[in-house]
Amino acid sequence: MTDAEAFASIALAAVACDGTLDREEAHALRRSLEFRTPYRDRTEQEMGALFDRLLVTLREQGVDQLVNEALPALTTIQQETALAVAVQLTHADRDVSDAESQFLKQLCERLTLPEGRAVLVMEAIMALHRDCLSG
C-alpha cells in the first residue's frame, strides 16, 4: 500500500467506522483530501479508482483490517495528520457516535506517535468543532 492509499484509508475508515457511508460523508471525505498532495493532481476517475480499491478491502475485511494495512505505510508525521483528518471527519456533523469515539480511541492506541501526542491532536481538532457560542 502506498502512503497516498494509506492516508486515504484512514480517512475512509473514519467515515465508515459506524457501519454507514452515506453521500454526505463521502463528500466530506473527498473534500478533506482534494487540496492535499497527491490527490489534488488526480482526476475524478483516478480518485474513484482509489476509493473503489479501498472499499473492496473495507467491505471484505472491515475497518480494522483497512487500518492495519494502512498504518505501516505512513510515517509518524503522516500518521499525525491522518489522525487529525479522521477526527475532523468524525466531528464534522457535531454528532460523534459511540462507534466513532471507539474508532478514534483505538486509532490513537495504534499510532506510533510520541507519548500524549495523539491526545493533543484530538483535543485540538475537537476544539475547532466545539459549538461554544450556542445559548
Side-chain angles (χ1 to χ4, degrees):
M1 180 176 286
T2 67
D3 60 349
E5 291 169 330
F7 193 92
S9 292
I10 301 299
L12 176 60
V15 296
C17 68
D18 61 359
T20 62
L21 179 60
D22 63 26
R23 184 180 198 99
E24 185 177 319
E25 290 175 318
H27 189 66
L29 173 59
R30 178 69 173 114
R31 277 193 324 264
S32 71
L33 299 178
E34 69 186 351
F35 296 110
R36 295 179 182 279
T37 303
Y39 313 107
R40 68 177 176 216
D41 297 326
R42 294 189 178 179
T43 66
E44 287 297 320
Q45 293 79 13
E46 290 170 325
M47 288 301 291
L50 168 64
F51 282 110
D52 286 345
R53 288 190 307 276
L54 299 179
L55 284 167
V56 167
T57 302
L58 178 66
R59 287 186 190 116
E60 292 178 357
Q61 300 175 27
V63 168
D64 286 338
Q65 185 60 32
L66 189 62
V67 172
N68 284 342
E69 291 180 19
L71 289 179
L74 297 173
T75 65
T76 302
I77 295 296
Q78 291 167 333
Q79 286 183 17
E80 181 179 85
T81 304
L83 172 62
V85 169
V87 176
Q88 169 92 10
L89 287 167
T90 59
H91 283 77
D93 64 358
R94 290 179 177 51
D95 183 29
V96 180
S97 70
D98 290 341
E100 290 170 324
S101 293
Q102 186 63 27
F103 168 79
L104 291 173
K105 180 181 179 232
Q106 290 174 347
L107 180 61
C108 287
E109 292 169 356
R110 296 160 77 181
L111 298 172
T112 59
L113 301 180
E115 182 73 30
R117 184 67 181 163
V119 172
L120 291 175
V121 169
M122 281 189 46
E123 288 175 349
I125 301 304
M126 289 165 50
L128 287 173
H129 287 281
R130 189 177 303 127
D131 193 7
C132 64
L133 299 177
S134 63

